[in-house]
Amino acid sequence: MGLKGFVEGGIASIIAGASTHPLDLIKVRMQLQGESNPALVQAYRPTVAALNTPNGYVSLHIAPPPRVGLISIGTQIVKSEGATALFSGVSATILRQTLYSTTRMGLYEILKQKWSDHHSDSDTAKLPIMKKIVAGLIAGSVGAAVGNPADVAMVRMQADGRLPIEQRRSYKSVVDAISQMSKQEGIASLWRGSALTVNRAMIVTASQLATYDQAKEMILEKGVMSDGIGTHVTASFAAGFVASVASNPIDVIKTRVMNMKLEAGGVAPYSGALDCAMKTVRTEGVMALYKGFIPTISRQGPFTVVLFVTLEQVRKLFKDL
């Protein structure tokens, strides 16, 4: 069982991650909106208003850019950067899923098997929800620590297109991104924001995997549907929703911390996660922590559905091995 859980989880995660990558990219761009970085003021149609001052001068005032939604940001990216830009950083996504999701899915299965009541007919039917949540928290934290370098690379590659050309990092691939970061910012930069990645992964894994298992069990127990694609899609939708609501605030902070640019000798925009959260809430209000929620749910939904439906099919294939 051990290795099989990792392989099954890995295959399903890579397919789900690559197919929903454009939604993830739009989510990252939306989460970075509203950050007070002068270089980015022109990123989304800034409005310039002329003001008359008492002594007759006209001063130009740049108003904050209008809030932009999922579709318009997507269209904006295609217009200004080309359709392929929606897949910038896809190599990092694939590496991240290979490291992070393979680890968390495999480990979750192992813990679930270890802790389940083996006297029952089904391997995991009797595992209480709290144990599933704890298994998810442990599996998520280990997976995230392993996958963090690919995660930082992915956020940067996705965010790159919104910077003015002279400030872009222009990484060629995930390997290039990781090697450039190690050279220019030190090995430690590959684990920048790792406390956040680990927290987010614990919350996502626990909420996603435990909700899926629980929902699937309830549907089957109540006889609402049989164990087929209908059940898998319904349970995974529930899992995607719960995971989105639980993880969005940490996700916004994670994106901002990972993406911040450290100038030599300059002061970092945020000293850490807590500082970033405080500044974000202070300047943009509490709801800023739910920035990009529509794309988060638009991505978590399809991602979770593709993930679990593929996982169930891959399990069927591997059943006889």
Side-chain angles (χ1 to χ4, degrees), residues 176-248:
D176 180 44
I178 289 175
S179 64
Q180 275 200 45
M181 281 164 60
S182 321
K183 275 190 211 122
Q184 294 162 6
E185 302 169 54
I187 295 284
S189 71
L190 298 177
W191 271 271
R192 176 174 304 153
S194 61
L196 286 160
T197 312
V198 168
N199 278 332
R200 176 184 173 276
M202 287 166 79
I203 290 170
V204 169
T205 305
S207 52
Q208 196 184 52
L209 301 184
T211 306
Y212 177 77
D213 279 346
Q214 203 64 17
K216 184 176 152 190
E217 270 170 38
M218 281 162 66
I219 293 169
L220 297 178
E221 267 171 29
K222 303 254 187 305
V224 183
M225 286 187 269
S226 60
D227 190 357
I229 277 220
T231 302
H232 304 158
V233 170
T234 312
S236 47
F237 254 116
F241 181 75
V242 173
S244 302
V245 173
S247 67
N248 204 87

Side-chain angles (χ1 to χ4, degrees), residues 80-133:
S80 58
E81 303 166 49
T84 50
L86 289 172
F87 281 92
S88 17
V90 75
S91 59
T93 292
I94 291 170
L95 179 64
R96 175 175 173 262
Q97 295 299 346
T98 308
L99 299 171
Y100 157 65
S101 282
T102 304
T103 309
R104 76 184 181 123
M105 306 285 283
L107 202 52
Y108 178 74
E109 283 304 316
I110 286 177
L111 292 170
K112 224 165 61 167
Q113 296 289 328
K114 269 204 166 28
W115 297 346
S116 60
D117 173 3
H118 286 295
H119 305 304
S120 61
D121 302 333
S122 156
D123 259 349
T124 54
K126 292 284 171 282
L127 194 65
I129 181 100
M130 276 318 293
K131 279 193 176 173
K132 286 180 189 140
I133 290 174

